[in-house]
Amino acid sequence: MAALSAKKALTVLMIDRDERFMVLALEEARAAALRGDVPIAALVVRDGEVVSAGSNRKERDPTAHAEIIALRRAAEAAESWNLRGCTLYVTVEPCPMCAGALVLARVDRLVYGCADPRAGACGTLYDIVRDSRLNHRCAVRRGVLERECARLLTDYFLERRKSRFPSGL
């Protein structure tokens, strides 16, 4: 069996790492669902270590998206707004607000699970994080554990509809 090239081996390691961190993000998203919030979660990772995590908490704050919370916590931990060298893992494609925050925070890389056809701003409706007119761009990897991320959202909203409209009303 031929040895893997260095580039191929690095790609395999990154895939394994991306999936490993997305599993952690999914755990955080499940916790959000248990407390009644939309199950979306984000992690900021630097040098293979989780720096911060966040999940949606939008009941009283429309800006309390998982990505914003994770970025704020990471900036606090780093004692700097500049998050170069970091990767943000999020279960759902970021919206325009969150994509803008990724650019402003200088995050190097974005990894997300499922696309958001209604508000996705990292390749679906817009592509803010890779817009060459802006002063920073992020590398993007989409579709990591996509089915699991999408299923978590679908199940959450199905349950929510059932509780709102019992007996199929």
Side-chain angles (χ1 to χ4, degrees):
M1 180 183 285
L4 289 176
S5 71
K7 186 175 182 180
K8 179 91 170 173
L10 181 60
T11 301
V12 169
L13 287 172
M14 289 296 275
I15 289 170
D16 291 345
R17 176 183 291 184
D18 288 347
E19 289 181 358
R20 183 169 46 100
F21 286 121
M22 191 60 73
V23 166
L24 296 176
L26 279 163
E27 289 174 11
E28 188 81 17
R30 286 184 189 96
L34 289 175
R35 68 169 189 273
D37 219 327
V38 177
I40 298 173
L43 305 175
V44 176
V45 174
R46 176 180 270 154
D47 299 326
E49 300 290 326
V50 176
V51 175
S52 67
S55 59
N56 274 14
R57 296 186 175 269
K58 297 184 338 182
E59 285 302 313
R60 293 194 177 109
D61 179 355
T63 68
H65 290 202
E67 301 94 325
I68 299 297
I69 292 168
L71 290 171
R72 285 177 181 160
R73 290 175 178 167
E76 188 175 313
E79 298 181 341
S80 173
W81 61 269
N82 190 320
L83 298 177
R84 285 187 197 279
C86 291
T87 298
L88 183 112
Y89 291 85
V90 62
T91 55
V92 179
E93 180 182 9
C95 71
M97 175 184 68
C98 294
L102 288 166
V103 170
L104 294 172
R106 308 297 193 266
V107 170
D108 286 346
R109 190 164 173 260
L110 165 67
V111 178
Y112 69 86
C114 61
D116 183 346
R118 294 184 178 178
C122 299
T124 299
L125 296 178
Y126 310 101
D127 203 355
I128 293 169
V129 296
R130 291 182 286 200
D131 190 323
S132 64
R133 297 169 295 178
L134 300 175
N135 62 347
H136 177 77
R137 281 162 292 292
C138 300
V140 176
R141 179 162 181 230
R142 59 191 300 166
V144 175
L145 300 182
E146 181 175 15
R147 287 186 186 121
E148 294 88 338
C149 293
R151 171 62 59 196
L152 186 59
L153 275 176
T154 301
D155 290 349
Y156 172 81
F157 285 112
L158 283 173
E159 283 301 313
R160 197 165 164 187
R161 283 185 200 107
K162 282 181 191 176
S163 66
R164 285 178 140 176
F165 305 107
S167 304
L169 293 176

